[in-house]
Amino acid sequence: FGSRFSEFCCMASRVVAFAWGAAADAALRSQVLQQPGFAVLIISHTAQDETARMDTCAAERGFQVLLSDDDTEIGTRVQDFRPTLLVSLSYRRKIKNKLLELAPHRLNFHPSLLPKHRGCFSGFHTILEGDVETGVTCHRMTANFDDGAIVHKEAIPVPEEATSKSLYQALLPVTARCFEAVLQMVVADALPEGTPQDQSEAVYHHRNLPFGGEVDANWPEDRVERFIRAMYFPPFEGAHMRVGSTKMLIHNLEDFRRCRQLVVDGAAASEVLAPSSSCAAAGLTG
């Protein structure tokens, strides 16, 4: 392994990580990247997750970093770096094809078990659809989102009471494990071409908030319960219903039943709900 590692360090140790947030921070702690001979450049956005800043990550680990949203600046920096491996870790924009072409290997780490839940809000849809397991998939990047050949997967069970927030947190170490496993494959010169995804099972979710965050009064209660958990990701607003022109926050099934009855009765929320009610008005109308 020592001689193979030395060969890799000489030939294929320039890693560009398009990265953002806690999942990227967890992955980039990999001890493989700290080995002599590795050079790492982090590309991230000017707007940062203040709990997991990529410039802080780079400073702590001795990596180079560029925080920019300027395509020309990013392209020049990546080209000058001459990467041999390009990875995407929760990067919030599509990486342009001309950048992908700058490295022989391009890998994305996606927080679902592809081909299920391509695109955005994968944790939300995992919960809403009642999936019993989820995980992180490493796949080769192509011109299309999340459809490249699968290189590696790490799976975990979905807890019965999971929320989008708790599932996101549970997947942070899974992302790190998946990233570490793939780096070990690269070092060992054993990175597979990957297995093509079954396109018949693929579902893509767009960036729009699913259903606008609004509970449908006609949904069965088991779906409502999953939707409430899927919408739970503080500090962002959770699930809601509309009673007349008033938006009502829905924290649990009791809230749903109360608001559903108001919808059925055609009553105005302000006429029926006491100020202390858990089915509280969000203070938004229209």
Side-chain angles (χ1 to χ4, degrees):
F1 178 81
S3 61
R4 178 66 61 82
F5 179 79
S6 298
E7 178 184 355
F8 174 78
C9 285
C10 293
M11 298 179 59
S13 56
R14 304 187 65 79
V15 181
V16 170
F18 286 82
W20 187 89
D25 185 76
L28 291 169
R29 294 181 183 275
S30 169
Q31 291 304 305
V32 175
L33 296 178
Q34 296 297 320
Q35 298 288 346
F38 270 83
V40 179
L41 167 64
I42 298 175
I43 303 292
S44 194
H45 312 285
T46 54
Q48 289 288 294
D49 176 351
E50 292 301 323
T51 67
R53 293 188 60 91
M54 289 296 99
D55 48 356
T56 302
C57 168
E60 291 176 348
R61 299 171 180 101
F63 301 157
Q64 298 180 44
V65 64
L66 173 65
L67 304 185
S68 177
D69 298 306
D70 183 270
D71 290 340
T72 300
E73 182 180 24
I74 292 170
T76 298
R77 187 67 178 273
V78 174
Q79 185 169 20
D80 290 347
F81 190 77
R82 295 178 290 109
T84 52
L85 174 63
L86 188 153
V87 299
S88 177
L89 294 156
S90 299
Y91 195 64
R92 298 167 71 83
R93 293 172 56 192
K94 190 175 189 295
I95 300 173
K96 295 183 180 296
N97 291 343
K98 63 182 180 181
L99 291 177
L100 296 180
E101 293 168 357
L102 295 176
H105 297 292
R106 293 89 62 178
L107 304 174
N108 180 46
F109 293 80
H110 182 75
S112 80
L113 297 178
L114 294 173
K116 292 193 71 174
H117 309 311
R118 293 176 177 175
C120 302
F121 296 107
S122 53
F124 174 98
H125 291 284
T126 293
I127 294 170
L128 184 62
E129 295 185 16
D131 293 354
V132 298
E133 68 173 358
T134 187
V136 175
T137 302
C138 173
H139 67 91
R140 292 188 178 272
M141 281 192 280
T142 68
N144 300 317
F145 278 119
D146 301 331
D147 77 342
I150 293 172
V151 171
H152 184 67
K153 288 183 180 181
E154 294 277 345
I156 60 170
V158 178
E160 289 186 3
E161 301 302 317
T163 65
S164 282
K165 179 74 170 183
S166 69
L167 198 58
Y168 168 79
Q169 293 171 329
L171 284 176
L172 296 180
V174 182
T175 302
R177 288 202 305 271
C178 188
F179 188 67
E180 180 80 8
V182 171
L183 281 183
Q184 295 289 359
M185 294 177 194
V186 174
V187 168
D189 194 23
L191 186 69
E193 286 301 314
T195 303
Q197 296 186 39
D198 184 345
Q199 301 299 327
S200 68
E201 296 183 0
V203 178
Y204 183 86
H205 305 297
H206 294 277
R207 191 174 291 276
N208 297 333
L209 181 65
F211 305 98
E214 186 168 349
V215 178
D216 189 323
N218 296 313
W219 285 347
E221 289 195 352
D222 60 341
R223 180 176 175 83
V224 172
E225 190 273 336
R226 293 195 305 272
F227 187 85
I228 293 169
R229 289 190 287 112
M231 281 294 298
Y232 185 80
F233 202 118
F236 301 103
E237 184 178 282
H240 69 271
M241 291 179 67
R242 287 193 177 273
V243 179
S245 62
T246 303
K247 179 188 285 187
M248 312 300 296
L249 298 181
I250 306 297
H251 303 293
N252 48 50
L253 285 178
E254 182 180 351
D255 288 353
F256 168 70
R257 292 165 187 150
R258 186 180 295 113
C259 287
R260 179 178 58 186
Q261 191 59 50
L262 293 176
V263 172
V264 170
D265 294 344
S270 60
E271 295 175 357
V272 179
L273 295 179
S276 61
S277 171
S278 62
C279 184
L284 300 172
T285 60

